[in-house]
Amino acid sequence: MVSQLVGSFSRLSVASSSPHVARSRVASRRSSFMGALPVLAPARTQVIDCTTDVVCKKGGIQSGGKLKTRKAVAKRFKITGSGKVMRRSQNKQHLNEKYKHSKLKSLSKTKVVANSDINNIKSCLPYKKIRTSNPDE
């Protein structure tokens, strides 16, 4: 008798959880069969996406992507406040025992990039304000 009661309680607990599943199934069927109204999105005003549109000098908007900066060039060259492009000098990585101290000291200084290389650097760094001709040369 007791085993029959325990068995009936276990059936009741299973039966009590199954109507919830049945209700959710019926609700989903009801929404699909009853012809639920489609949800309409509110009308939006035109928003300018700042990541893809570029503002031109004339004030208009030019659609297109951003220009990418070449990170290797950005690390190798520095732009001064006046717009000059500075670089490190070569021949100072290793095997420097043969050079005099004054030569090594002069190799440590940064140098101005030649005019012939400025256009290449300018195309790799699109958002830097680089002067096209250096007055020092």
Side-chain angles (χ1 to χ4, degrees), residues 3 7 9 15 18 24 35 38 47-48 50 59 63 65 70 81 91 93 99 108 116 118 122 126-127 134:
S3 64
F9 282 125
S18 61
S24 65
V47 178
I48 297 172
C50 297
S63 63
R70 299 263 181 136
N91 296 332
Q93 288 292 322
Y99 295 127
S108 297
S116 58
I118 286 183
K122 198 172 186 180
Y127 295 107
N134 288 327

Side-chain angles (χ1 to χ4, degrees), residues 4-96:
Q4 290 175 349
L5 286 175
V6 171
S8 64
F9 282 125
S10 64
R11 280 189 215 123
L12 283 176
S13 63
V14 170
S16 65
S17 66
S18 61
H20 295 293
V21 175
R23 281 187 202 139
S24 65
R25 285 183 188 153
V26 170
S28 65
R29 283 188 200 141
R30 198 178 289 153
S31 63
S32 63
F33 288 122
M34 295 293 224
L37 295 174
V39 178
L40 297 175
R44 285 192 273 167
T45 59
Q46 184 179 4
V47 178
I48 297 172
D49 189 8
C50 297
T51 58
T52 58
D53 294 335
V54 179
V55 177
C56 296
K57 290 180 181 177
K58 296 179 182 176
I61 296 174
Q62 174 186 359
S63 63
K66 288 183 177 179
L67 299 173
K68 291 186 176 181
T69 298
R70 299 263 181 136
K71 292 298 185 176
V73 176
K75 291 170 189 172
R76 286 184 173 95
F77 299 102
K78 301 299 174 205
I79 314 304
T80 63
S82 60
K84 289 191 290 185
V85 183
M86 304 300 284
R87 64 168 175 85
R88 287 183 63 195
S89 60
Q90 70 273 17
N91 296 332
K92 198 179 180 278
Q93 288 292 322
H94 63 100
L95 304 174
N96 294 325

Side-chain angles (χ1 to χ4, degrees), residues 98-116:
K98 57 189 171 190
Y99 295 127
K100 293 182 180 178
H101 180 66
S102 59
K103 169 93 172 183
L104 290 175
K105 204 167 183 181
S106 67
L107 288 175
S108 297
K109 297 176 184 175
T110 56
K111 302 196 172 41
V112 180
V113 173
N115 286 332
S116 58

